[in-house]
Amino acid sequence: FAGTVEEVGAGVELVPGERVAASFTTACGTCWFCTHSLSSRCDNAQLFGWIDETNEGIHGGQAQFVRVPHADGTLMRLPKDVSFEEGVLLGDILSTGYFCAKNALTMLADSNIPPAQLSVAVIGCGPVGLCAVASARMLGFGQIFAIDRVQSRVDTAVKLGAQSQGYETANDGRGVDAVLEVVGAYEALKLSFEIVRMGGVVSSVGVHAHDKGFPVSPGQCYDKNVTFKSGRCPARSLMSEVSQLVKTTDVVRHIISHRVPLAAAAEMYEQFEAQKDGILKVVFDPWA
């Protein structure tokens, strides 16, 4: 979420009136993980909107007012040329897509292949996947392939610089150099290992909340020399970096499909779950 500071507690450096955006997890900004670019594993991290069975946790940010723990660490001052809508993306899905693409590029550094000659397939072209497509383009990947069962999402990925087909023949049939898996499904991760080339990278940010296990064995990874990189995006650690790039892409125009009052939230969640044609990222206006 993004908005304007209204009040601050004791010791908070932010001041009322400042424009800010929040990451999807809180971050103290001072622990070992926060100071080593891994804010998602902050010693004090909590997920906005996550209340467990013991009623522990914090409420979400889809409201007119939000109390933000560890405000100086969790919130980022928005640059003047970054809008609130861009701030919303920075704190979650754009940083996650960028994290996924950057991980793949970093892991391929030892191949000594220029980014413009690298190919990457993005499995899952929902909001995070589309941000991964946009990020892969920003990072200079030469070929980007979009894979999704919903054609309208693939069409949007194409508008952001992806190709809708051809990953099977990438690198003369050897497979793509990297796969960005953002679905969080067993089948998606299985496909990732099938289409990546030997010595390639599978970068996964999908939340695998299932009990199907891992789709490949250690021996299969060994035989293919595959590098696997995964984890929750340290959004707060990346927000400043990504804010410098957000103006180089038209991701906001292509991804935000609906702007609605907060009262329409339940309906929009149902439409998104049903993958209604045309619905991608919904922005709620709590004051509308």
Side-chain angles (χ1 to χ4, degrees):
F1 57 88
T4 304
V5 177
E6 290 291 324
E7 295 182 19
V8 298
V12 175
E13 294 181 3
L14 291 164
V15 298
E18 289 191 292
R19 299 168 64 253
V20 294
S23 57
F24 66 93
T25 61
T26 63
C28 69
T30 58
C31 72
W32 190 91
F33 293 103
C34 282
T35 56
H36 287 80
S37 302
L38 198 59
S39 58
S40 55
R41 297 303 165 194
C42 170
D43 289 342
N44 301 288
Q46 296 186 81
L47 277 166
F48 281 104
W50 185 269
I51 307 291
D52 65 20
E53 61 276 2
T54 66
N55 207 35
E56 292 293 322
I58 56 175
H59 292 283
Q62 294 170 1
Q64 291 179 326
F65 296 95
V66 182
R67 184 182 67 84
V68 181
H70 306 289
D72 286 329
T74 303
L75 300 174
M76 184 191 82
R77 292 180 176 89
L78 285 176
K80 292 181 180 179
D81 61 344
V82 174
S83 68
F84 281 137
E85 288 188 346
E86 290 168 333
V88 169
L89 300 188
L90 288 176
D92 191 349
I93 64 172
L94 184 53
S95 288
T96 300
Y98 180 77
F99 175 67
C100 193
K102 185 179 180 181
N103 279 346
L105 187 61
T106 301
M107 293 297 102
L108 287 166
D110 288 342
S111 67
N112 295 318
I113 302 173
Q117 296 178 22
L118 291 172
S119 58
V120 60
V122 179
I123 299 181
C125 294
V128 177
L130 292 173
C131 286
V133 169
S135 296
R137 187 179 181 187
M138 287 189 289
L139 290 169
F141 278 94
Q143 279 188 307
I144 306 167
F145 300 99
I147 302 173
D148 197 288
R149 64 186 180 184
V150 180
Q151 187 58 44
S152 62
R153 294 184 172 188
V154 175
D155 293 341
T156 301
V158 170
K159 293 176 183 177
L160 288 167
Q163 298 172 226
S164 61
Q165 54 188 356
Y167 68 85
E168 302 92 339
T169 59
N171 290 319
D172 297 322
R174 291 189 297 274
V176 292
D177 298 296
V179 180
L180 312 184
E181 187 276 308
V182 300
V183 180
Y186 178 91
E187 295 76 12
L189 197 55
K190 182 174 183 291
L191 178 61
S192 299
F193 283 97
E194 290 173 353
I195 68 176
V196 71
R197 67 164 169 81
M198 292 185 182
V201 175
V202 173
S203 177
S204 172
V205 294
V207 181
H208 287 264
H210 56 74
D211 57 3
K212 294 183 179 181
F214 206 67
V216 294
S217 68
Q220 288 172 303
C221 291
Y222 177 91
D223 288 341
K224 206 169 182 178
N225 282 68
V226 171
T227 298
F228 178 65
K229 180 79 171 178
S230 183
R232 178 192 290 171
C233 169
R236 184 62 188 88
S237 299
L238 289 171
M239 286 172 69
S240 295
E241 180 178 344
V242 179
S243 70
Q244 303 302 310
L245 299 171
V246 70
K247 290 300 183 181
T248 68
T249 177
D250 50 2
V251 64
V252 172
R253 179 168 65 89
H254 288 300
I255 287 183
I256 297 179
S257 59
H258 295 70
R259 297 169 175 84
V260 300
L262 191 56
E267 177 188 353
M268 289 294 104
Y269 275 115
E270 290 175 0
Q271 290 190 24
F272 184 84
E273 181 67 22
Q275 295 187 342
K276 290 287 183 68
D277 189 39
I279 190 167
L280 287 171
K281 178 65 177 177
V282 180
V283 172
F284 298 123
D285 183 349
W287 299 100

